[in-house]
Amino acid sequence: MSKQVVMYTKPTCPFCTAAERLFRSKGVDFAVIDIAAEPERRDEMIERSGRRTVPQIFIGDEHVGGFDDLDALDQEGALDRMLGL
């Protein structure tokens, strides 16, 4: 069973789009929290991640980071293990 993936994003963010594309290519469902549409969720993102930029990605309760971090995990082969694939 795969873990829940949650991603804080903004519609104009190319790294958010790249992260979404990567998850879709793996057949992984993910929840998107758009901090432009829900600005009150930005503080929640900062509190959870310690970062102010998007995307901020969580797999289960684990903070992955942004797209560069996600891509590095994928290149290492660690992302599939984290996702339970």
Side-chain angles (χ1 to χ4, degrees), residues 43-61:
D43 289 339
E44 171 189 310
M45 176 193 80
I46 294 167
E47 186 177 314
R48 286 185 74 191
S49 69
R51 297 184 185 179
R52 298 178 176 276
T53 58
V54 290
Q56 290 305 318
I57 302 161
F58 292 82
I59 298 175
D61 292 329

Side-chain angles (χ1 to χ4, degrees), residues 5-83:
V5 175
V6 175
M7 195 165 36
Y8 292 85
T9 69
K10 285 185 184 177
T12 58
C13 166
F15 295 105
C16 300
T17 303
E20 290 177 11
R21 190 177 308 118
L22 178 58
F23 284 128
R24 282 193 192 100
S25 76
K26 293 183 175 293
V28 173
D29 290 329
F30 53 91
V32 171
I33 299 170
D34 180 348
I35 65 168
E38 298 180 84
E40 67 279 3
R41 304 287 300 264
R42 185 172 190 274
D43 289 339
E44 171 189 310
M45 176 193 80
I46 294 167
E47 186 177 314
R48 286 185 74 191
S49 69
R51 297 184 185 179
R52 298 178 176 276
T53 58
V54 290
Q56 290 305 318
I57 302 161
F58 292 82
I59 298 175
D61 292 329
E62 189 169 348
H63 177 234
V64 171
F67 176 71
D68 289 342
D69 305 302
L70 182 71
D71 188 48
L73 285 171
D74 190 39
Q75 297 302 317
E76 295 165 6
L79 181 58
D80 287 353
R81 287 192 300 278
M82 287 180 75
L83 292 168

